[in-house]
């Protein structure tokens, strides 16, 4: 399933969300320019759990392993990030995003502490955005592209169902991946980020009156 848009309009321009998307795209373009130097760059600056570094954790949040990895992450950030920024305010949203990314990376490192493979991607921080959205917008719906055999159909799905299903999926595959040494999706980063978002969202929520929801 591919989310296309949600039904909650933003009350103000999500400048931080747009800036985060721009930074991620700019960093990816830099990665693409490295050619043969890309793999050493990823190993040098991705988060390697066995050699955990807070600096690498922060940098790894803006690195991606490929174009589809980037596009998938930026799509989710574009759809859900603006509304969360609305609720938190610009400065709080930036702090929230970074803290969720840190929590996500730490969760993955604790789940597989002996891994020597670098972890990259914004998905842990974005999972935090999804966790906050799950709490803040319980009546929202998401227009979603769903494959049915060889055709595609769009449906409006309640956001709580879509996001809860996504979280359960990540949790299940996370437990299934424990003890494996192969590379792939950092499921516990997603789980840790989502839970961090559910906790940090209400803590950092702006005290100004919130705009009404439009279901």
């Amino acid at each position: 399933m591919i989310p296309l848009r949600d039904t909650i309009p933003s009350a103000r321009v999500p400048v931080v969300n747009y800036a985060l998307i721009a930074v991620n795209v700019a960093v990816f373009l830099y990665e693409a320019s490295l050619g043969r130097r890309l793999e050493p760059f990823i190993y040098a600056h991705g988060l390697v759990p066995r050699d955990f570094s807070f600096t690498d954790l922060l940098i790894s949040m803006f690195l991606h392993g490929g174009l589809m990895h980037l596009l998938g992450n930026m799509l989710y950030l574009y759809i859900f990030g603006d509304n969360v920024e609305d609720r938190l305010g610009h400065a709080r949203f930036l702090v929230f995003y970074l803290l969720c990314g840190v929590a996500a990376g730490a969760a993955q490192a604790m789940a597989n502490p002996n891994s020597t493979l670098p972890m990259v991607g914004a998905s842990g921080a974005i999972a935090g955005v999804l966790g906050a959205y799950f709490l803040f917008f319980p009546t929202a719906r998401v227009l979603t592209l769903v494959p049915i055999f060889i055709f595609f159909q769009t449906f409006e799905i309640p956001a709580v169902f879509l996001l809860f299903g996504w979280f359960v999926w990540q949790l299940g595959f996370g437990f299934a991946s424990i003890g494996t040494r192969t590379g792939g999706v950092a499921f516990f980063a997603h789980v840790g980020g989502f839970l961090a978002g559910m906790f940090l969202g209400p803590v950092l929520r702006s005290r100004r009156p919130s705009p009404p929801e439009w279901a």
Side-chain angles (χ1 to χ4, degrees):
M1 294 190 296
I2 304 173
L4 301 176
R5 62 174 175 81
D6 68 343
T7 58
I8 307 294
S10 297
R12 51 185 167 180
V13 178
V15 292
V16 174
N17 202 53
Y18 289 159
L20 288 170
I21 292 172
V23 170
N24 276 281
V25 171
V27 172
F28 180 77
L29 292 176
Y30 174 73
E31 290 180 60
S33 73
L34 292 177
R36 295 180 180 179
R37 295 174 292 159
L38 176 59
E39 185 173 346
F41 177 82
I42 293 295
Y43 270 88
H45 298 292
L47 176 64
V48 178
R50 187 179 230 180
D51 302 313
F52 187 90
S53 161
F54 186 73
T55 300
D56 289 342
L57 172 55
L58 289 176
I59 296 174
S60 70
M61 293 165 53
F62 296 94
L63 303 177
H64 287 85
L67 180 60
M68 296 308 297
H69 187 202
L70 172 75
L71 293 179
N73 279 344
M74 295 305 101
L75 175 64
Y76 272 79
L77 183 56
Y78 176 77
I79 292 173
F80 299 104
D82 60 334
N83 302 111
V84 176
E85 183 175 346
D86 237 358
R87 287 296 172 92
L88 298 182
H90 303 309
R92 287 190 180 97
F93 178 68
L94 178 59
V95 172
F96 166 85
Y97 182 90
L98 295 175
L99 288 178
C100 286
V102 168
Q108 183 65 31
M110 288 189 290
N112 197 4
N114 295 317
S115 174
T116 57
L117 296 174
M119 183 181 73
V120 297
S123 54
I126 296 169
V129 172
L130 302 186
Y133 190 101
F134 179 80
L135 291 183
F136 289 163
F137 303 99
T139 65
R141 302 176 73 84
V142 180
L143 183 67
T144 306
L145 188 65
V146 180
I148 302 176
F149 298 107
I150 61 173
F151 303 101
F152 286 87
Q153 182 64 50
T154 56
F155 298 93
E156 275 197 0
I157 300 175
V160 289
F161 292 164
L162 179 69
L163 298 180
F164 181 74
W166 180 89
F167 175 76
V168 171
W169 181 273
Q170 305 303 315
L171 189 63
F173 275 92
F175 281 117
S177 69
I178 291 177
T180 62
R181 297 185 178 181
T182 57
V185 179
F187 292 107
F188 278 109
H190 300 167
V191 172
F194 192 91
L195 295 176
M198 292 185 70
F199 172 75
L200 291 170
V203 170
L204 295 173
R205 184 173 181 170
S206 174
R207 296 295 180 258
R208 74 176 181 86
S210 298
E213 292 184 17
W214 299 89

